[in-house]
Amino acid sequence: MKFKKKILCIGAGYVGGPSMAMLAYKCPDYKVTVVDMNFERIDAWNSQDLPVYEPGLNKIVKKARGKNLFFAKDIEKQIKEADIIFVSVNTPTKTFGAGAGMAADLQYWEKTARQILENSYSPKIVIEKSTLPVKTALAMEKILSSPSGKIRFDVLSNPEFLAEGTAVQDLENPDRVLIGSHETRNGLKARQELVNIYSRWVPKEKIITSNIWSSELSKLVANAFLAQRVSSINSISALCEKTDADISEVAKAVGMDSRVGDKFLQAGIGFGGSCFKKDILNLVYLCSYYGLQEVADYWESVVKINEYQQDRFIANILRSMFNTLAGKRICILGFAFKANTGDTRESPAIYIARKLLGEHAEVVISDPKALKNAESDLADVKGDVKYIEDPYLAASGSHAIAILTDWDLYRRLDFRKIYRSMIKPAFLFDGRNIVDHRKCFGIGFNVYPIGKPALSHLHTANGN
Ligand code: NAD
Ligand code: UGA
């Protein structure tokens, strides 16, 4: 088949794989190839066992793979042939040198830019899909200004807003698609080409365009605002625990104000995932760089509250279990940073499990999709840690259960059966407020939700 255009995506991760699968599925007349320097990942994308777990993804990949969707290893050849290149490589927080712990590490990004330059013999549109500091396109353009100046590169910014666990529905029906470009004749022409691609399945009014710097910055700010809501509600959950107010009731009352809205007001053990923390720190670094210290401090507090929330959760476990966890078996239900993904990057569960092991607890970890990642996240820790997928087996013989991921299956567990198999007094720490606390208390558990009064038989017995 003769394809209208050849699209390449460099980076076959959580963003590159699903977003290109959707593009190929919606645009059968475009050839879409995804490459990665990690060949194991490419093999997995070509197998039955995709490297990323996302509800609905298998179906889309199967429909397009081998027809107009390809996962390939010959990066240089693919660059040569492509008309449009998305760059979706990782942009983690820098761990060394200037800006360590704050700024984005752009080494993968820059390597890609150089690779594109070295292997290009025809004009190309290069699209930033990775999340990048504002003004990165400038650096990209400087690298791509080829020595001979004969090849035209138009750089666009098209940040991705998908959330893990709902990637397929977010890609198929996004709240908005953002495309930033220079507002020059060539920039606008390139922008229109990308608008035309998305128009195949996204309503026109949801495709918004802007100047390239607004587009880059909007992505960081969108994540910062979302994370800020989580930290806001979590900070209030601490106050609820001191005052016998109930965080769910407060969130409902606040969220019903249409100016505030009811989403992202679920209190818990704090946000995880590969992006919120890194993107806020990146924003903080940018603000400091431009001398806006007050603004930097304001956004940094969002990350500090997130750390505080995890420490509070651990302190609560320790205090409730008579200030010692040594030799006690604690079952962690859920290790992924949120439900419906196997991703554990920056999952609060990593920090919490390490702290519990530091207290010499025996830790049993259960998760329907994230056990392999959990094992590698904790590979270096000393201590007694087991990985058991079946939640009933995992909980059996435990002194306490800590729910750390909001998997739906945990709402439906038979807690009576679990209670019977546990050491008494049995504790339940619901780090996501997802189970029926009164019911579990009725069964016999001492229940510790987030931002709600604890339901403890021990307190009642002591008259406290
Ligand atoms: P990821 O780590 O899952 O995937 C990135 C891939 O790029 C890796 O497989 C890596 O091997 C590959 N890579 C790096 N340098 C390369 C090079 N020079 N040549 C070829 N391959 C190379 O990362 P991700 O989660 O897909 O995130 C990618 C970007 O998208 C980040 O900037 C992230 O902030 C942003 N983002 C992520 C999400 C998400 O939900 N994960 C959502 C929106 C935006
Ligand atoms: C987030 C954004 O939602 C996406 O728009 C963005 O594209 C993406 O980051 C990114 O840039 O990587 P993601 O991290 O996949 O997506 O998942 P979210 O649903 O945003 O959840 C993030 C964390 O916040 C999770 O740990 C979740 O459990 C927590 N959270 C979320 C809460 O604790 N309470 C809430 O009310 C909502």
Side-chain angles (χ1 to χ4, degrees):
M1 167 162 179
K2 179 133 179 40
F3 292 105
K4 189 169 169 186
K5 282 267 157 94
K6 288 183 181 157
I7 293 180
L8 174 67
C9 177
I10 303 179
Y14 285 84
V15 168
S19 62
M20 291 303 120
M22 184 60 71
L23 203 157
Y25 174 60
K26 297 290 184 183
C27 306
D29 50 340
Y30 282 71
K31 181 180 179 195
V32 181
T33 306
V34 189
V35 293
D36 202 295
M37 63 185 183
N38 178 345
F39 288 177
E40 265 176 45
R41 256 196 168 169
I42 293 299
D43 288 338
W45 279 110
N46 281 320
S47 77
Q48 297 305 312
D49 192 13
L50 303 183
V52 168
Y53 169 72
E54 277 295 337
L57 183 62
N58 261 323
K59 193 179 117 203
I60 286 180
V61 170
K62 270 189 193 145
K63 285 208 164 144
R65 197 172 55 190
K67 293 190 187 110
N68 68 326
L69 174 66
F70 302 91
F71 295 94
K73 296 176 184 170
D74 47 354
I75 302 180
E76 295 179 355
K77 176 167 171 275
Q78 296 301 335
I79 292 175
K80 237 172 254 164
E81 292 179 359
D83 303 300
I84 298 173
I85 302 179
F86 286 89
V87 182
S88 185
V89 299
N90 38 329
T91 50
T93 304
K94 216 175 157 192
T95 53
F96 54 88
M102 286 281 184
D105 182 349
L106 296 176
Q107 60 172 309
Y108 307 101
W109 175 256
E110 182 167 337
K111 185 166 174 247
T112 312
R114 290 186 191 283
Q115 241 178 335
I116 293 174
L117 175 64
E118 279 158 23
N119 295 287
S120 289
Y121 302 94
S122 57
K124 297 183 198 303
I125 296 176
V126 178
I127 304 169
E128 302 176 340
K129 198 150 219 17
S130 303
T131 303
L132 295 159
V134 60
K135 293 284 180 188
T136 305
L138 199 60
M140 183 72 156
E141 282 163 346
K142 282 190 182 151
I143 295 169
L144 289 179
S145 320
S146 62
S148 63
K150 277 190 192 141
I151 298 165
R152 245 225 79 73
F153 292 101
D154 287 299
V155 178
L156 300 178
S157 158
N158 171 222
E160 183 50 63
F161 294 102
L162 69 80
E164 290 181 30
T166 52
V168 172
Q169 73 193 61
D170 295 343
L171 287 165
E172 189 149 36
N173 186 19
D175 284 352
R176 78 307 208 182
V177 167
L178 175 59
I179 304 171
S181 73
H182 287 302
E183 286 163 326
T184 57
R185 200 169 66 88
N186 285 322
L188 294 174
K189 194 167 157 237
R191 178 204 273 188
Q192 191 55 41
E193 186 147 350
L194 191 54
V195 168
N196 292 344
I197 293 175
Y198 279 110
S199 302
R200 300 285 189 96
W201 77 95
V202 179
K204 283 228 161 32
E205 62 279 10
K206 289 194 172 182
I207 304 176
I208 54 173
T209 54
S210 72
N211 85 39
I212 201 160
W213 318 125
S214 308
S215 174
E216 287 179 338
L217 185 58
S218 299
K219 172 65 199 178
L220 289 185
V221 174
N223 273 359
F225 269 56
L226 289 169
Q228 179 209 43
R229 279 180 74 97
V230 177
S231 278
S232 295
I233 201 71
N234 283 342
S235 72
I236 300 301
S237 76
L239 186 58
C240 285
E241 285 166 32
K242 296 282 184 205
T243 56
D244 287 346
D246 180 320
I247 195 65
S248 303
E249 293 174 353
V250 174
K252 186 172 175 191
V254 172
M256 277 179 77
D257 185 327
S258 59
R259 293 168 302 175
V260 177
D262 61 358
K263 300 213 175 88
F264 262 70
L265 287 179
Q266 177 66 42
I269 44 168
F271 57 77
S274 61
C275 294
F276 276 3
K277 186 174 165 193
K278 101 171 152 63
D279 292 349
I280 294 177
L281 292 177
N282 191 343
L283 186 64
V284 169
Y285 183 74
L286 278 169
C287 294
S288 299
Y289 176 82
Y290 287 107
L292 306 171
Q293 203 47 49
E294 287 78 1
V295 186
D297 293 346
Y298 173 72
W299 286 106
E300 194 168 11
S301 71
V302 172
V303 175
K304 286 190 178 146
I305 288 286
N306 201 49
E307 289 161 358
Y308 163 75
Q309 188 73 349
Q310 292 170 36
D311 285 330
R312 247 167 39 76
F313 185 73
I314 296 155
N316 195 21
I317 295 181
L318 189 58
R319 196 173 46 245
S320 314
M321 296 182 73
F322 320 116
N323 292 310
T324 174
L325 301 178
K328 290 182 184 166
R329 185 164 165 154
I330 299 184
C331 167
I332 289 181
L333 289 185
F335 206 84
F337 80 97
K338 63 182 282 197
N340 298 318
T341 177
D343 194 353
T344 60
R345 290 178 292 178
E346 295 291 338
S347 177
I350 301 174
Y351 181 70
I352 292 168
R354 283 177 182 270
K355 285 282 179 185
L356 295 177
L357 286 162
E359 292 290 340
H360 294 186
E362 243 182 72
V363 174
V364 183
I365 296 169
S366 187
D367 190 288
K369 294 285 174 198
L371 282 194
K372 231 163 69 185
N373 283 336
E375 278 194 60
S376 88
D377 293 332
L378 299 178
D380 62 315
V381 292
K382 293 192 179 68
D384 194 343
V385 51
K386 295 187 181 63
Y387 303 89
I388 302 178
E389 191 175 324
D390 182 328
Y392 294 102
L393 285 181
S396 175
S398 303
H399 294 77
I401 291 174
I403 301 177
L404 302 192
T405 310
D406 49 341
W407 283 105
D408 214 26
L409 82 98
Y410 299 148
R411 296 177 216 270
R412 290 181 269 107
L413 288 176
D414 180 347
F415 279 98
R416 201 170 289 283
K417 176 172 161 186
I418 289 179
Y419 180 75
R420 278 199 301 268
S421 73
M422 288 177 64
I423 312 275
K424 311 298 180 310
F427 294 84
L428 175 60
F429 299 93
D430 186 357
R432 297 290 187 169
N433 282 350
I434 56 169
V435 300
D436 184 335
H437 301 135
R438 290 239 145 254
K439 190 169 162 197
C440 290
F441 178 63
I443 290 170
F445 281 103
N446 298 293
V447 185
Y448 298 82
I450 300 271
K452 296 167 192 261
L455 299 170
S456 169
H457 299 285
L458 303 165
H459 288 168
T460 327
N462 294 339
N464 294 329

